[in-house]
Amino acid sequence: MEVLYDDSFLFERIFSKLQANKSQKLIVEKPETTKQNRKTFFTNFISFCDSIKRSKSAVETFIKNELQIETSVMENGTLCINKIYQQQDIEKVCKNYIKSYKNHIKNHIIK
């Protein structure tokens, strides 16, 4: 079997891509929530999605699955969660999303 690339070339290629990605910092907007009528409203949902460069539908689906509750995006871009949650609970779900997305990207770079 013919070897197209030697190991040192491949390792160097992987590490250079990781270093290039490491220098790019992502500034994430902190989730802001309000509570009303037994619902939680993620008021800056659109700007949060924009800050992490992910689609509204992908983030909404993740939040819906993590909290196991129905959600909807209102016309003004606010995410309506059909249960009352504390600010830190929403922040934790958002952090989990970022961590899982980050791990997904790392796995694809290495493969």
Side-chain angles (χ1 to χ4, degrees), residues 12-24 109:
E12 184 62 36
R13 185 174 172 189
I14 290 170
F15 287 120
S16 66
K17 285 188 179 203
L18 289 174
Q19 287 295 349
N21 289 340
K22 196 183 243 186
S23 64
Q24 298 173 349
I109 289 174

Side-chain angles (χ1 to χ4, degrees), residues 4 13 24-25 31 35-36 39 43-44 56 59 76 78 83 85 90 99 102 106:
L4 297 176
R13 185 174 172 189
Q24 298 173 349
K25 294 210 178 211
K35 300 172 204 101
Q36 185 178 3
K39 294 180 182 183
T43 55
N44 63 336
K56 294 183 302 188
V59 178
N76 65 358
T78 297
K83 189 176 176 182
Y85 288 95
I90 303 303
K99 285 179 186 178
K102 183 179 168 185
K106 278 185 180 180

Side-chain angles (χ1 to χ4, degrees), residues 5-35:
Y5 300 105
D6 66 343
D7 290 343
S8 62
F9 172 79
L10 294 174
F11 284 123
E12 184 62 36
R13 185 174 172 189
I14 290 170
F15 287 120
S16 66
K17 285 188 179 203
L18 289 174
Q19 287 295 349
N21 289 340
K22 196 183 243 186
S23 64
Q24 298 173 349
K25 294 210 178 211
L26 187 64
I27 299 172
V28 178
E29 190 163 328
K30 185 177 179 177
E32 296 173 7
T33 62
T34 59
K35 300 172 204 101

Side-chain angles (χ1 to χ4, degrees), residues 43-74:
T43 55
N44 63 336
F45 178 68
I46 299 294
S47 56
F48 173 79
C49 294
D50 291 343
S51 75
I52 62 171
K53 298 179 173 90
R54 303 301 302 151
S55 72
K56 294 183 302 188
S57 61
V59 178
E60 179 188 7
T61 301
F62 184 86
I63 291 172
K64 186 185 301 186
N65 291 337
E66 281 284 301
L67 299 176
Q68 297 180 351
I69 195 90
E70 283 301 310
T71 62
S72 61
V73 179
M74 299 167 60

Side-chain angles (χ1 to χ4, degrees), residues 78-92:
T78 297
L79 181 68
C80 176
I81 304 168
N82 295 330
K83 189 176 176 182
I84 292 185
Y85 288 95
Q86 297 298 318
Q87 173 83 25
Q88 62 267 23
D89 297 331
I90 303 303
E91 289 175 10
K92 184 177 178 183

